[in-house]
């Protein structure tokens, strides 16, 4: 190996990873993923056969079609959360409602696994909000654009008899920085 060999992922893999990271940050990715994963056991278990030796157990119910519809809808709602993030609240509420209906319709919501995944995915989708732009740092009186440093001096609170590094900005009059040591004065 030469000294010029690069360690770590190549440029293409690193760029792809960064692109995916940016895409994932602009939508309720984890809510969509959990909703999709919640739909899979809900639609799978009613059609599954469990074999123990020569004994075959079939979990089919009369509501097998309902389970299939609920599972497919949860997968579609998860994809909607990914590819249309502006409708995340609708998709999240619908996923929560479908998860609740799956408890009754499809073997306790895919043996509670699909129910919990879809419920948490819907809740994550409803609670997700797009981030705002980062604030720009202001340049102060000829300083360079580095911002505040650890050596900046914090002035003592009004009326303080002593100064502690990293003074706390409690305006209630009960902090140790203002010299009252937690006691209030009458008057």
């Amino acid at each position: 190996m030469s000294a010029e060999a690069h360690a770590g992922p190549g440029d293409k893999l690193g760029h792809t990873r960064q692109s995916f990271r940016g895409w994932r940050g602009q939508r309720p990715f984890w809510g969509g993923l959990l909703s999709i994963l919640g739909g899979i056991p809900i639609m799978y278990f009613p059609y599954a056969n469990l074999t123990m030796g020569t004994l075959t157990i079939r979990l089919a119910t009369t509501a097998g079609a309902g389970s299939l519809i609920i599972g497919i809808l949860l997968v579609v709602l998860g994809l909607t959360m990914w590819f249309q993030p502006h409708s995340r609240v609708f998709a999240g509420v619908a996923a929560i409602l479908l998860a609740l209906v799956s408890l009754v319709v499809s073997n306790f919501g895919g043996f509670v696994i699909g129910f919990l995944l879809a419920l948490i995915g819907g809740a994550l989708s409803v609670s997700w909000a797009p981030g705002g732009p980062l604030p720009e740092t202001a340049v102060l009186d000829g300083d360079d654009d580095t911002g505040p440093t650890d050596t900046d001096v914090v002035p003592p609170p009004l009326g303080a008899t002593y100064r502690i590094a990293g003074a706390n900005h409690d305006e209630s009059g009960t902090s140790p920085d203002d010299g009252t040591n937690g006691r209030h004065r009458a008057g």
Side-chain angles (χ1 to χ4, degrees), residues 20 23-24 26-34 36 76-85 91:
F20 174 70
W23 178 83
R24 189 183 68 195
Q26 296 171 355
R27 60 202 75 245
F29 176 77
W30 295 109
L33 182 66
L34 290 178
I36 291 170
V76 168
L77 287 171
L79 292 172
T80 301
M81 292 174 202
W82 282 357
F83 296 110
Q84 298 205 1

Side-chain angles (χ1 to χ4, degrees), residues 53-78:
T54 59
L55 179 66
T56 301
I57 301 171
R58 185 167 172 97
L59 300 172
T61 63
T62 57
S67 299
L68 184 63
I69 290 170
I70 289 173
I72 289 173
L73 284 175
L74 282 171
V75 170
V76 168
L77 287 171

Side-chain angles (χ1 to χ4, degrees), residues 26-51:
Q26 296 171 355
R27 60 202 75 245
F29 176 77
W30 295 109
L33 182 66
L34 290 178
S35 295
I36 291 170
L37 292 177
I40 292 171
I42 289 174
M43 68 179 152
Y44 173 74
F45 286 135
Y47 296 101
N49 289 331
L50 180 63
T51 306

Side-chain angles (χ1 to χ4, degrees), residues 156-173:
L158 186 63
T161 57
Y162 58 90
R163 178 154 188 250
I164 298 175
N168 102 37
H169 299 287
D170 183 13
E171 296 191 15
S172 67

Side-chain angles (χ1 to χ4, degrees), residues 97-150:
L97 292 175
L98 284 172
L100 291 172
V101 168
S102 75
L103 280 174
V104 178
V105 172
S106 68
N107 297 328
F108 294 112
F111 296 117
V112 185
I113 297 168
F115 164 71
L116 287 176
L117 288 173
L119 190 71
I120 293 170
L124 285 174
S125 177
V126 169
S127 65
W128 184 84
L134 296 175
E136 295 183 25
T137 57
V139 179
L140 302 174
D141 297 333
D143 289 342
D144 58 351
D145 202 15
T146 58
T149 62
D150 290 339

